[in-house]
Amino acid sequence: MTIISGKARLAGVFGWPASHSRSPRLHGYWLRQHGIDGAYVPLEVRPEDFAAAVRALVTMGFRGANVTLPHKETAFAVCDMVDGSARRAGAVNTLVFRDGQIHGSNTDGFGFLESVREQALGWQAADGPAVLLGAGGAARAIAAALLDAGCPLLTIVNRNRERAEMLARQIGGPVAVADAPPLEGAALLVNSTSLGMAGQPPLEIDLALLPPRAVVVDAVYVPLETSLLAAARARGLRGVDGLGMLLHQARPGFEQWFGVAPGVDRGLREFVAADLPRRT
């Protein structure tokens, strides 16, 4: 049994809903692993109450919080200060409360890059062109991270082309927009949409044109092995699941709230994965 004191450090995750979040399980693992006097709790808050709820946590002495759907863009507006990662992503997923002020950052891009480097050893953003499916909040953070890491050309493909073009303009750099994924010669394919997620329509895409050394990433982690990843592995391509991004994006916030730099190891991955369906 974990027992906390009156001096416990407190953090949590905002969402609507928040019950599906694996972040409490993830942070709870680290808190127990490091013997920290603290707690990380789900914070299920309606969108119209979000700003007031954040300020209430500051008053209550919380160290900060993560932010998930649908609050990431609202969180940007609530912050007193945001860093470059949040500005590039146009959204905030990590809040740190310091001296009565709300500091915001976006660690999704960091988590994405760390996950790909971990699961596809030797991969570098500069290896070749990348294709990104989707133009939502996750896509924005991933796009910024890839370009900042040296991706020579990023092509965004989205059902709503206008939204993809808007993202391309806002992100800037070597970015193109296409109606169909230009897979021939691509070094990286990333799905940042909800297609393939449990309860959602499948992602239908033919991977035949991808080069043998290409890496296929699915930001979806429910199920852990999506049909996209299964198809990639069947062709001998390197596949990267969405769980790694979830685990790594949590590291910076945990360190700032609880004073310990946590690691992502096999034990953590297995513990969090045990709560996920393996396949649809």
Side-chain angles (χ1 to χ4, degrees), residues 26 29-30 33-34 247-248 251 260-265 268:
L26 160 58
Y29 178 95
W30 281 332
Q33 181 183 51
H34 295 286
L247 303 181
H248 284 286
R251 288 165 47 200
V260 173
V264 172
D265 55 23
L268 172 67

Side-chain angles (χ1 to χ4, degrees), residues 78-185:
V78 170
C79 292
D80 298 301
M81 302 179 194
V82 294
D83 69 6
S85 68
R87 289 193 190 92
R88 284 281 274 160
V92 163
N93 79 332
T94 303
L95 300 172
V96 175
F97 307 147
R98 187 180 301 129
D99 299 325
Q101 292 193 314
I102 303 167
H103 298 249
S105 62
N106 191 304
T107 63
D108 283 338
F110 166 82
F112 170 80
L113 292 177
E114 289 294 294
S115 177
V116 182
R117 289 166 179 155
E118 177 186 59
Q119 297 184 58
L121 296 179
W123 173 86
Q124 298 181 65
D127 285 346
V131 177
L132 175 62
L133 307 181
R140 180 182 293 272
I142 291 169
L146 282 171
L147 292 170
D148 290 348
C151 177
L153 174 63
L154 175 66
T155 301
I156 302 171
V157 180
N158 192 55
R159 284 176 293 184
N160 184 329
R161 184 184 175 96
E162 183 178 347
R163 189 170 184 183
E165 290 174 343
M166 181 174 66
L167 174 57
R169 288 194 301 271
Q170 293 173 344
I171 290 293
V175 183
V177 173
D179 294 320
L183 299 184
E184 191 170 5

Side-chain angles (χ1 to χ4, degrees), residues 172-214:
V175 183
V177 173
D179 294 320
L183 299 184
E184 191 170 5
L188 179 72
L189 170 65
V190 183
N191 174 39
S192 73
T193 75
S194 61
L195 294 176
M197 183 183 297
Q200 298 294 321
L203 173 61
E204 297 180 356
I205 184 171
D206 185 357
L207 304 180
L209 292 179
L210 279 175
R213 288 290 298 166

